[in-house]
């Protein structure tokens, strides 16, 4: 009994599948079958069916009464749906019982017809063959007996049919009573659970209010601290101004002292130069005397026959040798020759001593002359250095004056000017609203218009299926990721979207740098010394999007080469803010600034307006980094094809600007009209693939994906696509994306999964081929060496 009830409930639950008849059709078919079964049954069976229908209506009425008496927060439609499911289960069981009895009656009737035909044939044989009359009479008796048995079997079958119908009625009645008790108990438990959750929510709200009050007091205290810090900062600025003035005076006094020291040093150098000149004159006079003595020496040498000192020494040695010989030979020579020889020897010794003295004095004079030359060069260098220092001092003084003027101008601008200069200029430039109230075309016409405008204006051709996905992605997420090889037209498509929506100025390109590591790299920073916020291209684009001239139109901010650096680092603030539905904003400064731009919130934050979509273009090579799951889970991902379709250029009228409200209204209408398609996708994934993905691939998903399916799939269908097209894209880009590079998953597992998944997707929507899912799994199978 319990298993049959469970199967009945499962069969009665679920969404409308492609090709499946509607609920009303299935109900009419069931009623027709029941009517046929009732027509073939007895009058008591009709009364039992009427009683059964009365019992079902009574259960539905009691369910409505219980729902009305329960918690007001309970949706009444859920109770009606539960009653309708009970009715469908009872009708199903009645239909099965009626069909079984009908089949049994048909079998008995067929057997009776066969026996009747045999009896007719036997009668014909008896009339034609007289010899076998006795045998025929015997067989006739047997046939009569069989006929009586058949009649008895018919009567017993009718009795069994009535008994079975009564048993089925009693079983249905007991089952209805059990279901009524179960429903009442479930409603009571649900009401108690909701009351407990309401009490818990009240307690949490009270705790949150207490925390908010505490936070408010902390913020008040922090504000007072910040004001005190600001006052201290202003005092510090005044102290800095006084220090600058003292530094300027000190620098002027040091310049005067340097000038006086330089003048004194110059006088000393001039005096030393004069002394060096006098010394040089004395050295020149001594050099003259030395030259006279050298001339005398040369004359003496000339008197010796022009011989050098060495020759004189050698000659003396020879003379001594010869003198010794002469002494030996002429021992008896006169003493006068001996005295003369002695005088000559003394004269030669004196000349040698004079020569050595002259050589020493000449070396000293040359050394003194060299020192004088060095002193003169040093003096010249001192004069040149003095001139250079005077020029440098003049330049430094000029630079000091210029810096002082800049500091004064900056301080004055910080007190009187705008902290956000570019944003303040936008307040004046884009303060007039622009018309953006063009009628919204149908979704398929809008997609074809996007294709024609992009082809004509940007020279790019894209398939209607890709543009349908982009349009549905705008309904699903504010962050888009366009991936593909370099030069395929990712940035061009992002820029062309603004033109397709009627405004080629509602777009801004922000080139991402490889060195970005902090949100300040993306947003800019506040210079407390200059009192100016240096706005980045991203901040200026975000501010321009919310100006009156653009706030009613779709605005696209393109992060070109988004994965040159880690988006989870420099883009973390935006990723967190996009998860907030109520007026997300980004922090620019930690404390309020003076005279901010008009749209800066509280002087510290900038809002992310609802008309902004962020489009990141991404290549995948050795110069880039991969996106984290946090980024993929919040984004719409589009893998652009390598080859574009060859489309003709058709002349189109420039589209009028589409308003943001009309686009949002079109998305809401599509989600309301085709919401059952999204429910069917969720039911398909939960019923057939959630547990298998978790077991074989260790892949799961949460509420965010289900919400995105409800926002994405209806727009795809409204734009002319199929439910299978939306399911195929989400499988490839959101669920199975994490299979890439997972070499812990065997190729056989992927191959079996691919076969089963493609077959299941084809049954889900036979009009769409799951090309994206097949391509992803085929690539992973090939990467593991399988073909």
């Amino acid at each position: 009994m319990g298993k049959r009830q469970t199967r009945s409930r499962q069969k009665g639950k679920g969404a409308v599948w492609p090709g499946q008849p509607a609920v009303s059709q299935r109900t009419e078919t069931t009623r027709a079958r029941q009517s046929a079964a009732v027509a073939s049954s007895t009058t008591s069976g009709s009364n039992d069916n009427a009683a059964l229908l009365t019992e079902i209506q009574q259960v539905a009425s009691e369910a409505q009464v219980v729902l009305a008496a329960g918690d007001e927060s309970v949706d009444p439609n859920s109770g009606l749906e539960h009653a309708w499911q009970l009715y469908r289960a009872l009708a199903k069981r009645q239909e099965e019982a009626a069909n079984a009895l009908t089949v049994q009656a048909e079998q008995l009737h067929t057997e009776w017809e066969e026996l009747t035909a045999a009896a007719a044939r036997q009668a014909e044989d008896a009339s034609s063959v007289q010899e076998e009359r006795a045998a025929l009479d015997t067989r006739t008796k047997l046939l009569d007996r069989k006929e009586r048995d058949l009649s008895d079997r018919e009567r017993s079958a009718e009795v069994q049919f009535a008994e079975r119908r009564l048993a089925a009625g009693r079983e249905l009645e007991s089952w209805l009573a059990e279901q009524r008790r179960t429903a009442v108990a479930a409603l009571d438990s649900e009401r108690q659970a909701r009351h407990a959750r309401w009490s818990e929510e009240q307690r949490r709200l009270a705790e949150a209010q207490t925390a908010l009050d505490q936070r408010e007091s902390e913020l008040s205290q922090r504000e007072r601290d910040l004001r005190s810090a600001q006052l201290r900062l202003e005092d510090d600025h005044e102290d800095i101004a006084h220090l600058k003035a003292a530094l300027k005076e000190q620098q002027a006094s040091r310049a005067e002292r340097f000038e006086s020291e330089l003048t004194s040093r110059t006088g000393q150098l001039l005096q030393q130069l004069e002394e060096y000149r006098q010394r040089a004159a004395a050295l020149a006079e001594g050099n003259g005397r030395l030259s006279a003595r050298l001339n005398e020496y040369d004359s003496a040498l000339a008197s010796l026959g022009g011989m050098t000192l060495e020759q004189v020494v050698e000659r003396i040695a020879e003379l001594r040798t010869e003198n010794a010989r002469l002494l030996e030979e002429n021992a008896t020579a006169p003493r006068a020759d001996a005295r003369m020889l002695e005088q000559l020897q003394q004269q030669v010794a004196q000349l040698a001593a004079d020569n050595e003295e002259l050589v020493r004095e000449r070396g000293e004079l040359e050394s003194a002359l060299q020192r004088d030359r060095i002193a003169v060069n040093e003096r010249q260098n001192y004069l040149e250095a003095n001139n250079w220092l005077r020029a440098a001092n003049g330049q430094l003084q000029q630079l000091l004056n210029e810096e002082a003027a800049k500091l004064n101008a900056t301080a004055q601008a910080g007190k009187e000017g705008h902290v956000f200069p570019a944003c303040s200029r936008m307040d004046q430039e884009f303060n007039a609203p622009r018309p953006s109230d063009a009628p919204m075309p149908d979704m398929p016409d809008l997609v074809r218009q996007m294709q024609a405008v992009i082809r004509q204006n940007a020279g790019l051709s894209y398939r209607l299926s890709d543009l349908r996905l982009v349009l549905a992605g705008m309904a699903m997420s504010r962050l888009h990721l366009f991936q593909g090889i370099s030069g395929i037209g990712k940035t061009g498509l992002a820029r062309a979207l603004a033109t397709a929506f009627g405004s080629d100025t509602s777009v801004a390109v922000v080139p991402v740098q490889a060195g970005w590591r902090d949100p300040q790299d993306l947003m800019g920073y506040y210079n407390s010394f200059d009192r100016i916020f240096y706005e980045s291209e991203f901040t200026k684009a975000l501010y321009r999007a919310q100006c009156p001239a653009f706030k009613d139109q779709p605005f696209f901010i393109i992060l070109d080469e988004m994965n040159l650096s880690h988006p989870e680092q420099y883009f973390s603030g935006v990723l967190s803010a996009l998860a907030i539905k109520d007026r997300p904003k980004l922090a620019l400064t930690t404390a309020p600034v003076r005279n901010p731009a008009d749209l800066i919130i509280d002087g510290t934050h900038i809002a992310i307006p609802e008309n902004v979509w962020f489009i990141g273009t991404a290549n995948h090579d050795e110069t880039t980094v991969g996106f984290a799951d946090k980024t993929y889970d919040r984004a719409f991902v589009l893998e652009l094809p390598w080859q574009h379709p060859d489309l003709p250029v058709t002349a189109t009228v420039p589209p009028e600007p589409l308003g943001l409200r009309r686009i949002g209204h079109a998305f809401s209408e599509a989600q309301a009209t085709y919401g059952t398609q999204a429910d069917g996708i969720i039911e398909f994934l939960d019923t057939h693939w959630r547990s298998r993905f978790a077991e074989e691939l260790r892949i799961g998903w949460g509420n965010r994906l289900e919400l995105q399916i409800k926002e994405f799939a209806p727009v795809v269908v409204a734009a002319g696509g199929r439910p299978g097209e939306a399911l195929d894209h989400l499988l490839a880009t959101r669920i199975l994306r994490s299979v890439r590079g997972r070499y812990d998953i065997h190729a056989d597992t992927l191959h079996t999964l691919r076969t089963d998944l493609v077959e299941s997707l084809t049954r889900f929507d036979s009009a769409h081929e799951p090309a994206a899912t097949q391509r992803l799994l085929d690539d992973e199978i090939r990467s593991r060496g399988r073909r």
Side-chain angles (χ1 to χ4, degrees), residues 17-31:
W17 297 70
Q20 182 181 1
V23 174
S24 60
Q25 296 177 357
R26 295 200 304 272
T27 306
E28 293 297 333
T29 303
T30 304
R31 290 177 179 175

Side-chain angles (χ1 to χ4, degrees), residues 193-261:
R194 289 181 178 273
H195 182 71
R197 288 197 297 270
W198 180 79
S199 301
E200 181 66 21
E201 290 296 330
Q202 291 293 329
R203 186 184 62 80
R204 291 181 180 177
L205 287 176
E207 293 178 354
Q209 184 65 35
T210 303
L212 286 175
D213 295 338
Q214 183 178 0
R215 181 62 176 169
E216 185 177 0
S217 62
E218 292 177 356
L219 289 176
S220 301
Q221 181 63 32
R222 186 176 179 183
E223 183 178 2
R224 290 192 295 271
D225 295 339
L226 288 175
R227 288 178 180 174
S228 301
Q230 186 175 4
L231 293 175
R232 290 196 300 271
L233 185 61
E234 292 177 355
D235 295 337
D236 293 340
H237 283 313
E238 293 178 358
D239 295 339
I240 289 172
H242 293 310
L243 289 174
K244 287 181 179 178
L247 181 61
K248 185 175 181 182
E249 294 177 358
Q250 185 179 2
Q251 188 174 7
S253 62
R254 290 182 63 184
E256 292 177 358
R257 289 198 305 271
F258 178 76
E259 184 68 25
S260 62
E261 291 177 358

Side-chain angles (χ1 to χ4, degrees), residues 639-655:
E639 191 77 25
L640 295 181
W642 291 18
Q643 294 181 350
H644 295 279
D646 188 11
L647 300 177
V649 179
T650 57
T652 59
V653 178

Side-chain angles (χ1 to χ4, degrees), residues 7-46:
R7 287 197 297 271
S8 299
R9 288 195 296 270
Q10 290 179 349
K11 291 179 181 179
K13 181 182 178 181
V16 179
W17 297 70
Q20 182 181 1
V23 174
S24 60
Q25 296 177 357
R26 295 200 304 272
T27 306
E28 293 297 333
T29 303
T30 304
R31 290 177 179 175
R33 292 178 180 177
Q34 292 174 354
S35 299
V38 170
S40 63
S41 63
T42 61
T43 306
S44 62
S46 301

